Amino acid sequence: MSSRSEFGQTGTEGSDGGLLGGGRWLRQTKAFALRNLRATLRTKATILWGFGFPAFWYFVTSLLFLPDAGDIGPGATIGEIKGATAVSLGLFGVLTVTLVAFASGLGEDLTAKRYRKLRSLPVAPSADFVGRYLAGVAVAAVSYVLVLLVGFVDGAEYALHGPGSVPVVTVSFLLFSLVGVSLAVLVTWLVEDSEIVVGITNAILLVSFFLTGYNGMNPELLPEETRQIVNIAPNSLASRLQTFHLTETPATTPTGAQTGGVTPPSFPVELEFVALLAVWAVAFGVVASVLMDQAVYRGEGGE
Amino acid sequence: MSVSGAAVRVRGLRKGFGDGDVLDGVTLEVPDGEITLLMGPNGVGKTILLSCIAGGLHPDAGEINVFGVAPEEANRRLSFMLQDAMLVDELTGRENIAFFRDLHPRSTETPDDILERLAFDTGALEREVGDYSGGMKRKLELAIALSVDVPLYLLDEPTAALDMTTVERVHAMLAERRAAGETTLVSSHLPADADLADHIAVVTEEGISATGSPTELLETVPRVVLAEGSADITGAVREGRLFEGELRRRGFLREDTDPEAVTAAGQGAAVEVREPTYTDLFNYYVHLETPGDG
């Protein structure tokens, strides 16, 4: 039982993260991460759309749309093309998980009025956001690796471009996941209703995929004057960064076997492009953090 | 009710959600170290009131003090049980407990003990909560809230969906906490929960219609006329208002009516006049005696 004198002596205690000890912040972050990781992995929709759909899409693409080995020019092999396709659709899976699944989970918490309880607790909003982000990263990594594995079994070839490829791949994956999770917070804040949130985030997912020439893998599908967007938009930028560093740069792609390739524009090989992705991630991350703090916790998100 | 040692003070609380005010000028004081019952029917805003006191919702107008500070600043000194809005169905009972344990600095390791006292099969903690019955979820929510060591508990209908044996166990546990000096504010629409309370605040759509100890409030409720069969007692009860029971109709005896005359007028049908129960107290203050009646 509580000691009344102990609480009677207690001064004003804020609920913001600034007054939390680092240990307690980590404990709360872990709590949100585990909760969301478990809930996401036990949701059939996540299994179906986050894991099954990207892998299935890769399989269908490989079966129906990739050229035969004999039809490929001397600049590439079918293994490289399959590798690039797997990376592109793997990143599609990453966005599916971080955007759609994350938004669905947050929307459900808001719709179920769970934040009435969470706001009554001395919770750091940043712990909530970071915990959810870490859960999203973990599930997204599984989705991504699953597509790469399916591609590998199908004959896709992967190769690190150089010693700097591992950190670039890792950092760009984390940054892109942050963009997805942050966008999910933004959409959920705007819409709140968990069912509508899923529809809107799916629409964003598909529109961004097609408007950037299949995540930047087929820029020739875009008007020439707008092709540069594939090295700017976060989804295609991340996809092209990963493709460059995880595969032998393919001279051709499914469509490109006949009509061109993943270039032009040239691959985003300079560090400035990683920095650009970081700018996207920080910008979205700051907006999402502010929304979690001001709209969800200090405000009345879900009401 | 004005209480010198109040753990919670609510003044002129107004809260709405776009389609009108749910709470309109609620004033309430919760005595320190005692059990206060918010008694009222479904949908009058008991949960909203508790959520505002807990800091889960923010008032549109009015003032709330919890141990002298705003609810947001008192969140380490209170524990809030929110019916049907805490648990995640995809998580096991054990995982839900672990989540909330990590969020509150005053969490203890006692949920299993509490659950055993509530006759909850702790083996079920390894199952996903989505498979639980309503009563099991309520017990788990209650155990999570009571396993936090704080001086103030805000409990949203903790006895809903529980059998009477378990309700009595809940009462016993809350009485123990009262003995330890802790304060409890509990909402309910079950008259049986009045047995537990030191103070009752009756909440209606018009606001809080009455406050006081159970004994004080019972003394203010008129005697009750009960009738079986075809007996017409409409003229003997206040406002001609009858409440249908499983077997008998009942109403509140008019001020100017002789009880013996009412029973005699039954003419063979069973008509009885007796002292009010907590169910009658609930009916009287919820349906007849509104704040505007003075």
Side-chain angles (χ1 to χ4, degrees), chain B residues 167-185:
Chain B
V167 167
E168 288 178 357
R169 289 176 179 170
V170 172
H171 288 184
M173 290 168 64
L174 297 184
E176 287 169 15
R177 284 166 193 263
R178 171 177 53 198
E182 293 164 358
T183 306
T184 302
L185 177 60

Side-chain angles (χ1 to χ4, degrees), chain B residues 148-188:
Chain B
V148 182
D149 187 16
V150 287
L152 174 63
Y153 296 94
L154 305 169
L155 309 178
D156 178 31
E157 306 209 354
T159 55
L162 299 184
D163 59 80
M164 280 312 297
T165 305
T166 311
V167 167
E168 288 178 357
R169 289 176 179 170
V170 172
H171 288 184
M173 290 168 64
L174 297 184
E176 287 169 15
R177 284 166 193 263
R178 171 177 53 198
E182 293 164 358
T183 306
T184 302
L185 177 60
V186 52
S187 70
S188 176

Side-chain angles (χ1 to χ4, degrees), chain A residues 228-244:
Chain A
Q228 197 60 39
I229 196 174
V230 297
N231 283 344
I232 298 172
N235 60 314
S236 52
L237 173 57
S239 188
R240 289 167 69 81
L241 270 168
Q242 297 261 324
T243 301
F244 180 80

Side-chain angles (χ1 to χ4, degrees), chain B residues 180-202:
Chain B
E182 293 164 358
T183 306
T184 302
L185 177 60
V186 52
S187 70
S188 176
H189 59 267
L190 299 178
D193 283 331
D195 280 334
L196 168 73
D198 301 299
H199 295 270
I200 295 175
V202 183

Side-chain angles (χ1 to χ4, degrees), chain B residues 7-293:
Chain B
V8 177
R9 293 180 195 275
V10 179
R11 291 270 181 277
L13 173 63
R14 197 164 60 75
K15 182 66 185 172
F17 293 96
D19 51 352
D21 285 346
V22 179
L23 302 173
D24 188 9
V26 169
T27 293
L28 174 72
E29 295 195 354
V30 178
D32 199 6
E34 298 186 355
I35 297 173
T36 299
L37 176 67
L38 290 173
M39 181 190 265
N42 291 321
V44 296
K46 300 188 299 294
T47 300
I48 304 300
L49 176 56
L50 281 172
S51 296
C52 287
I53 294 170
L57 290 173
H58 310 306
D60 296 334
E63 185 184 352
I64 301 174
N65 280 308
V66 179
F67 297 118
V69 298
E72 296 78 21
E73 296 170 358
N75 55 20
R76 296 170 200 219
R77 286 177 274 175
L78 63 86
S79 180
F80 179 32
M81 179 209 138
L82 180 58
Q83 182 188 199
D84 290 332
M86 288 172 60
L87 307 175
V88 176
D89 280 354
E90 289 80 12
L91 268 55
T92 66
R94 185 78 66 198
E95 289 164 349
N96 273 289
I97 288 172
F99 172 67
F100 285 106
R101 184 191 59 219
D102 285 343
L103 296 187
H104 203 297
R106 304 290 304 178
S107 293
T108 67
E109 301 292 335
T110 58
D112 281 31
D113 298 340
I114 296 170
L115 286 168
E116 283 171 9
R117 287 190 67 184
L118 295 174
F120 182 103
D121 173 15
T122 51
L125 288 174
E126 311 309 325
R127 284 168 30 207
E128 289 185 17
V129 165
D131 296 332
Y132 285 14
S133 68
M136 291 171 77
K137 288 182 179 178
R138 196 71 60 250
K139 290 174 184 177
L140 184 57
E141 290 167 342
L142 185 58
I144 289 170
L146 292 181
S147 65
V148 182
D149 187 16
V150 287
L152 174 63
Y153 296 94
L154 305 169
L155 309 178
D156 178 31
E157 306 209 354
T159 55
L162 299 184
D163 59 80
M164 280 312 297
T165 305
T166 311
V167 167
E168 288 178 357
R169 289 176 179 170
V170 172
H171 288 184
M173 290 168 64
L174 297 184
E176 287 169 15
R177 284 166 193 263
R178 171 177 53 198
E182 293 164 358
T183 306
T184 302
L185 177 60
V186 52
S187 70
S188 176
H189 59 267
L190 299 178
D193 283 331
D195 280 334
L196 168 73
D198 301 299
H199 295 270
I200 295 175
V202 183
V203 187
T204 68
E205 289 181 353
E206 285 74 32
I208 292 183
S209 62
T211 57
S213 71
T215 308
E216 287 168 355
L217 286 179
L218 270 179
E219 286 173 354
T220 63
V221 179
R223 299 179 77 188
V224 178
V225 184
L226 297 104
E228 264 184 62
S230 59
D232 181 8
I233 57 171
T234 310
V237 300
R238 297 193 181 197
E239 300 180 19
R241 177 78 186 266
L242 294 175
F243 300 89
E244 295 289 340
E246 283 185 22
L247 297 174
R248 298 190 285 187
R249 289 161 288 131
R250 68 174 80 184
F252 295 99
L253 186 67
R254 292 173 65 99
E255 282 175 326
D256 54 354
T257 304
D258 177 9
E260 290 184 6
V262 173
T263 51
Q267 295 177 339
V271 176
E272 178 190 354
V273 176
R274 63 152 172 73
E275 295 302 317
T277 63
Y278 287 127
T279 300
D280 301 314
L281 187 155
F282 181 90
N283 283 330
Y284 182 71
Y285 279 108
V286 167
H287 299 293
L288 289 183
E289 191 73 6
T290 62
D293 296 332

Side-chain angles (χ1 to χ4, degrees), chain A residues 34-119:
Chain A
L34 285 178
R35 170 187 188 259
N36 289 288
L37 184 61
R38 287 165 171 152
T40 304
L41 290 175
R42 291 171 193 163
T43 303
K44 286 177 186 167
T46 303
I47 306 299
L48 185 67
W49 295 108
F51 297 160
F53 186 58
F56 174 74
W57 198 350
Y58 169 83
F59 182 74
V60 170
T61 301
S62 174
L63 194 68
L64 301 178
F65 301 115
L66 294 189
D68 293 332
D71 297 333
I72 300 170
T77 68
I78 186 65
E80 292 166 356
I81 291 172
K82 286 183 175 179
T85 303
V87 170
S88 169
L89 291 177
L91 265 291
F92 178 84
V94 169
L95 194 58
T96 302
V97 169
T98 54
L99 176 59
V100 183
F102 181 93
S104 173
L106 179 59
E108 215 166 278
D109 281 342
L110 291 169
T111 305
K113 310 293 184 196
R114 294 194 184 111
Y115 272 94
R116 287 184 184 176
K117 166 66 180 176
L118 292 174
R119 280 190 290 264

Side-chain angles (χ1 to χ4, degrees), chain A residues 15-17 25 28 123-130 289 292-293 297-298:
Chain A
S15 59
D16 60 275
W25 186 88
Q28 293 186 347
V123 167
S126 58
D128 185 339
F129 179 67
V130 174
S289 298
M292 283 298 281
D293 185 71
Y297 276 90
R298 291 180 198 274

Side-chain angles (χ1 to χ4, degrees), chain A residues 19-302:
Chain A
L19 293 182
L20 293 173
R24 230 161 44 73
W25 186 88
L26 285 175
R27 191 173 178 178
Q28 293 186 347
T29 301
K30 182 200 78 176
F32 278 103
L34 285 178
R35 170 187 188 259
N36 289 288
L37 184 61
R38 287 165 171 152
T40 304
L41 290 175
R42 291 171 193 163
T43 303
K44 286 177 186 167
T46 303
I47 306 299
L48 185 67
W49 295 108
F51 297 160
F53 186 58
F56 174 74
W57 198 350
Y58 169 83
F59 182 74
V60 170
T61 301
S62 174
L63 194 68
L64 301 178
F65 301 115
L66 294 189
D68 293 332
D71 297 333
I72 300 170
T77 68
I78 186 65
E80 292 166 356
I81 291 172
K82 286 183 175 179
T85 303
V87 170
S88 169
L89 291 177
L91 265 291
F92 178 84
V94 169
L95 194 58
T96 302
V97 169
T98 54
L99 176 59
V100 183
F102 181 93
S104 173
L106 179 59
E108 215 166 278
D109 281 342
L110 291 169
T111 305
K113 310 293 184 196
R114 294 194 184 111
Y115 272 94
R116 287 184 184 176
K117 166 66 180 176
L118 292 174
R119 280 190 290 264
S120 79
L121 293 162
V123 167
S126 58
D128 185 339
F129 179 67
V130 174
R132 288 176 188 271
Y133 166 68
L134 292 176
V137 164
V139 180
V142 173
S143 174
Y144 191 16
V145 169
L146 190 63
V147 178
L148 296 184
L149 282 176
V150 170
F152 182 73
V153 170
D154 186 47
E157 295 171 8
Y158 309 108
L160 291 175
H161 197 81
S165 292
V166 171
V168 170
V169 166
T170 305
V171 169
S172 60
F173 166 74
L174 293 174
L175 292 173
F176 183 53
S177 296
L178 181 56
V179 171
V181 166
S182 302
L183 188 57
V185 173
L186 183 62
V187 173
T188 310
W189 171 69
L190 287 171
V191 182
E192 288 200 346
D193 185 297
S194 57
E195 290 183 9
I196 300 175
V197 161
V198 170
I200 290 179
T201 48
N202 267 311
I204 292 172
L205 180 72
L206 293 173
V207 167
S208 65
F209 183 78
F210 289 115
L211 282 186
T212 55
Y214 302 160
N215 268 3
M217 288 298 99
N218 291 83
E220 76 281 357
L221 294 176
L222 304 176
E224 194 172 346
E225 59 272 20
T226 62
R227 279 180 193 164
Q228 197 60 39
I229 196 174
V230 297
N231 283 344
I232 298 172
N235 60 314
S236 52
L237 173 57
S239 188
R240 289 167 69 81
L241 270 168
Q242 297 261 324
T243 301
F244 180 80
H245 285 280
L246 278 178
T247 66
E248 290 289 341
T249 307
T252 55
T253 61
T255 308
Q258 290 85 34
T259 62
V262 289
T263 59
S266 59
F267 264 106
V269 295
E270 294 85 7
L271 272 179
E272 288 90 318
F273 287 100
V274 179
L276 176 60
L277 190 58
V279 169
W280 277 114
V282 169
F284 274 98
V286 166
V287 170
S289 298
V290 170
L291 285 176
M292 283 298 281
D293 185 71
Q294 296 296 319
V296 176
Y297 276 90
R298 291 180 198 274
E300 286 189 342

